[in-house]
Amino acid sequence: MIKQRNIAMCIILSIVTCGIYGLYWLVCITDDMNTATEEQWTTGSMVLLFSIVTCGIYSIYWAYKMGEKVDILKAKNGTPTSNSGLLYLILSLFGFGIVVWALVQNELNQVADI
């Protein structure tokens, strides 16, 4: 089951907890996306571990893969797809990873409503 989350609250909690809640949020959206697309990819805890070990480099790759998964999710629901992977990659490269998390959570929230 995919849990619908308030994006603004997740961002505020990430800021207030100095990023600790953001790490939890990263794990949750990764696991939720695996559930939504019915494809098993790397688990959320493995994404967290790989991101820490590679000093954040893996999180850039993760952003690109999440964009591909968002497009798969949109195609399954009959929504027009775009090249989300490229957008998420660029945002992540310029340090806007939390924006990527918010965009992915927005897509997951739309599926959770169905």
Side-chain angles (χ1 to χ4, degrees):
M1 177 165 163
I2 300 168
K3 183 177 178 184
Q4 188 169 8
R5 291 180 177 81
N6 184 331
I7 297 170
M9 185 60 70
C10 289
I11 292 172
I12 290 168
L13 285 172
S14 295
I15 292 169
V16 168
T17 62
C18 299
I20 294 171
Y21 184 81
L23 298 175
Y24 168 74
W25 188 24
L26 172 70
V27 171
C28 290
I29 59 178
T30 302
D31 291 339
D32 285 349
M33 185 60 77
N34 285 337
T35 302
T37 58
E38 298 172 352
E39 293 180 2
Q40 189 57 28
W41 184 53
T42 307
T43 63
S45 55
M46 290 304 291
V47 169
L48 177 62
L49 179 66
F50 292 157
S51 296
I52 291 171
V53 168
T54 62
C55 298
I57 294 171
Y58 186 83
S59 63
I60 295 170
Y61 171 73
W62 173 87
Y64 178 76
K65 291 300 284 183
M66 277 293 119
E68 288 181 347
K69 286 186 161 263
V70 164
D71 288 341
I72 291 169
L73 193 60
K74 285 181 178 180
K76 284 177 70 173
N77 293 327
T79 309
T81 61
S82 58
N83 196 354
S84 300
L86 183 60
L87 171 65
Y88 294 174
L89 175 66
I90 292 170
L91 286 170
S92 187
L93 281 172
F94 286 104
F96 295 108
I98 199 162
V99 175
V100 173
W101 298 351
L103 292 172
V104 172
Q105 185 64 58
N106 182 51
E107 295 298 329
L108 289 169
N109 285 346
Q110 291 175 8
V111 173
D113 290 338
I114 294 175

